[in-house]
Amino acid sequence: MEMVLLGNRSINLVVGVFTMTATWVGGGIIVGTVEMVYTPSMGMSWALLMFVAYSMSFITAGLLFAKPMRDINCVTMLDPFKLKYGKVMGVVLSLCSLFVDLTWVPSTLMGLGGMMSVVLDLPFSACIWISAGVAITYTLMGGLYSVAYTDIIQLVLIFVGLCICVPFVLTSPHTLDISQTLMNNTLHAPWIGELELRKSWIMIDDFLFFALGSLGYQAFHQRTLSASSTATAKLTSLFAAVIILVIGIPIILLGAAAASTDWNQTSYGSPSPYERGEAAMVLPIALQHLTPPFISIIGIGCVAAAVMSSADSALLSASSVFTNNIYNTILRPQASDREIQWVIRVSVVVAGVAGMSLSSLQNSVLLFWFIGNEMAYIINFSELFCVLFFNISNGYGSIMGLLVGLMIRLLSGHPSLGLEPVLHFPGCTLENGVYVQYAPVRTISMLSTIAAILLFSYLASVLFNKGVLPEKWDVFQVKAQHSPVPLSPVGGATEDNETEFRMDSHS
């Protein structure tokens, strides 16, 4: 299993840096960042915040999370839950991770579908199925090895392609000097973006959301777990943190050029994409109307490479979690190696087909992706942080943390879901008939999850270890975790996982 899912834990530094960076630089990142810079209320300020946050997530993964997960020989990031909390909570949190991955696939594919449908006038669905089919095929061929080595080619294509497109867009006769439009309101609002004091907490919330929420993705940790050594895993993360900032430069410049273009002089005409409500497609529109046709095709190639570099990672991630933490734990613990190989292949295909099918929903997919991202931040990251760094955490706290985090997030209101806020945090105001939260509601929900995990874990530990509750009720075997000595698998973990589970107590 490790050969397919982790490349036999032999991925070297160079390959590791490329595959980690390529995994995060997806089609959605490229298209979305250009839209972000072009949108007046966001601009370059929010785009920089996002890229710096992603860079910090790489550093955090390498310096804090890589070693404890590698020390217990994890195959996926869900293994610590299976070892410490048992099968039930392992499966529950595995389902959360699967949901995050399955919403990631279609949202990534949609970036390419939008590009090709605008520039090449091809059917949206055909673009989706072709790109997904390619990603599924080479993921099936070699697992992490094929994904990692194709990521090298894809990342090079992304960077070189972007660097080729940028000069053509910036030197278009219809594009003004971006240094003049950075701060000035000329054809479009200044592309530096709006920095309002009342939105400071929202910016902090977004920064932590991108920086820590990324750590709730299995694909992220799959890269550090597949490294040839712990030192290599750390260096991989540090180098990737620098490279993703470099790749962000040409993407931001494309957004700046779009914000500095006199669209009335182009074949696109007036009004501008923003005024037409087509800001989400401003990258393909800019390539189509500001560059020669062959440059537009190169731009599509960039996005196609980015889409497949992320889509294959999401497919392999979903397959890893289902095979290792659900099928081989609950459904068929006695499965042979050959059977596991086939389960991996089938789950890759199923995840790919499911992602392609969801992409036809378009607007609904964006909603699923948004919810998936919040689940990665509020649930997956919080749970992983506690299970790795707090010896007191147990299954009871894990359940309560999940419930408390979701409840607080839903009660805080969710405009995309049409939920009015019940909890009005400081700064919550009524604007155009809609309540707007200016407090960092996602971070509040995440911290509430961590607090609930630790509090209820402590209460359960006291109640069972003091004999207040009978031991026969202790389904998560809290007494086995009471001593600071290394823990053995609990809750019926299989013999294959009889690795000592060492936790450093921070409580």
Side-chain angles (χ1 to χ4, degrees):
M1 186 188 299
E2 288 193 5
M3 177 64 75
V4 177
L5 302 184
L6 296 178
N8 205 29
R9 299 187 193 270
S10 61
I11 302 298
N12 61 41
L13 177 62
V14 175
V15 176
V17 170
F18 274 93
T19 187
M20 177 170 278
T21 309
T23 296
W24 237 236
V25 182
I29 291 291
I30 295 176
V31 176
T33 301
V34 173
E35 177 191 359
M36 189 179 293
V37 176
Y38 177 68
T39 303
S41 61
M42 304 184 82
M44 181 186 68
S45 303
W46 291 79
L48 285 175
L49 179 142
M50 181 182 69
F51 276 103
V52 172
Y54 280 144
S55 179
M56 290 300 299
S57 69
F58 289 144
I59 296 172
T60 304
L63 298 184
L64 295 182
F65 285 80
K67 188 177 187 303
M69 294 183 72
R70 290 179 62 88
D71 284 350
I72 56 176
N73 213 30
C74 290
V75 175
T76 72
M77 75 171 193
L78 284 308
D79 285 353
F81 303 106
K82 179 175 64 175
L83 289 169
K84 190 175 184 183
Y85 301 160
K87 291 181 179 180
V88 175
M89 282 308 300
V91 169
V92 169
L93 294 171
S94 295
L95 292 175
C96 293
S97 179
L98 277 176
F99 178 79
V100 170
D101 288 332
L102 290 178
T103 56
W104 185 15
V105 175
S107 61
T108 301
L109 294 175
M110 284 176 63
L112 178 61
M115 284 279 293
M116 297 181 73
S117 62
V118 170
V119 178
L120 301 181
D121 197 26
L122 293 176
F124 180 86
S125 58
C127 305
I128 296 293
W129 285 86
I130 292 171
S131 57
V134 172
I136 291 173
T137 300
Y138 69 75
T139 303
L140 287 173
M141 290 175 62
L144 186 68
Y145 271 127
S146 62
V147 169
Y149 283 95
T150 52
D151 278 348
I152 296 176
I153 301 172
Q154 289 161 351
L155 190 64
V156 171
L157 289 175
I158 291 168
F159 187 69
V160 172
L162 288 172
C163 290
I164 291 174
C165 292
V166 166
F168 283 90
V169 176
L170 291 178
T171 57
S172 168
H174 311 305
T175 303
L176 301 181
D177 185 350
I178 61 172
S179 64
Q180 299 298 317
T181 58
L182 173 65
M183 305 287 290
N184 299 317
N185 193 347
T186 51
L187 300 171
H188 190 75
W191 58 272
I192 192 173
E194 296 179 1
L195 295 175
E196 301 180 52
L197 182 61
R198 64 173 181 165
K199 291 185 178 180
S200 57
W201 280 112
I202 295 180
M203 294 190 73
I204 294 172
D205 194 28
D206 282 347
F207 180 84
L208 294 174
F209 174 67
F210 289 123
L212 301 180
S214 303
L215 300 173
Y217 283 81
Q218 154 62 16
F220 200 84
H221 298 286
Q222 198 157 18
R223 271 59 193 168
T224 57
L225 293 174
S226 64
S228 56
S229 67
T230 300
T232 300
K234 292 181 178 181
L235 288 174
T236 295
S237 301
L238 294 177
F239 281 116
V242 175
I243 293 176
I244 195 170
L245 293 176
V246 174
I247 291 180
I249 295 173
I251 302 175
I252 291 174
L253 289 176
L254 287 172
S260 306
T261 296
D262 185 352
W263 292 101
N264 191 40
Q265 296 183 16
T266 68
S267 54
Y268 181 79
S270 184
S272 68
Y274 180 76
E275 293 169 320
R276 295 190 195 185
E278 296 180 350
M281 288 292 103
V282 71
L283 175 58
I285 291 172
L287 292 175
Q288 183 181 25
H289 297 282
L290 299 179
T291 65
F294 71 94
I295 296 298
S296 298
I297 294 174
I298 291 176
I300 292 175
C302 291
V303 178
V307 163
M308 287 187 283
S309 69
S310 293
D312 57 17
S313 299
L315 294 176
L316 188 62
S317 173
S319 174
S320 303
V321 172
F322 175 77
T323 304
N324 184 65
N325 299 100
I326 296 178
Y327 188 86
N328 199 33
T329 298
I330 298 293
L331 303 179
R332 288 273 294 170
Q334 71 278 20
S336 64
D337 289 342
R338 182 176 178 79
E339 181 180 345
I340 291 297
Q341 297 290 331
W342 278 105
V343 172
I344 292 172
R345 295 188 183 104
V346 171
S347 56
V348 167
V349 174
V350 171
V353 172
M356 288 186 290
S357 301
L358 285 173
S359 65
S360 63
L361 301 176
Q362 297 191 31
N363 291 335
S364 297
V365 167
L366 292 177
L367 177 60
F368 290 149
W369 175 77
F370 190 74
I371 297 172
N373 275 338
E374 294 211 356
M375 183 173 289
Y377 180 45
I378 297 169
I379 303 302
N380 293 1
F381 165 73
S382 304
E383 295 278 5
L384 184 64
F385 178 70
C386 289
V387 77
L388 289 178
F389 299 108
F390 292 90
N391 196 47
I392 192 65
S393 67
N394 55 51
Y396 304 103
S398 178
I399 292 175
M400 293 305 299
L402 189 152
L403 295 176
V404 168
L406 289 178
M407 180 181 66
I408 290 180
R409 183 63 191 96
L410 292 174
L411 293 178
S412 300
H414 208 304
S416 300
L417 296 177
L419 296 177
E420 291 289 331
V422 176
L423 297 176
H424 290 246
F425 293 103
C428 183
T429 58
L430 185 64
E431 298 179 2
N432 299 321
V434 178
Y435 280 102
V436 178
Q437 297 271 23
Y438 285 99
V441 292
R442 290 174 297 189
T443 300
I444 291 172
S445 301
M446 180 272 292
L447 294 174
S448 299
T449 301
I450 293 176
I453 291 172
L454 299 181
L455 174 61
F456 285 100
S457 293
Y458 176 76
L459 289 176
S461 180
V462 170
L463 291 174
F464 282 112
N465 285 292
K466 297 292 186 181
V468 178
L469 295 178
E471 188 174 348
K472 63 181 180 180
W473 291 1
D474 187 9
V475 295
F476 290 115
Q477 300 182 20
V478 167
K479 282 198 171 184
Q481 301 175 35
H482 182 59
S483 174
V485 299
L487 297 174
S488 299
V490 299
T494 61
E495 292 181 0
D496 294 333
N497 294 318
E498 288 180 352
T499 305
E500 286 186 337
F501 192 60
R502 298 179 181 271
M503 292 286 185
D504 293 327
S505 176
H506 288 250
S507 56

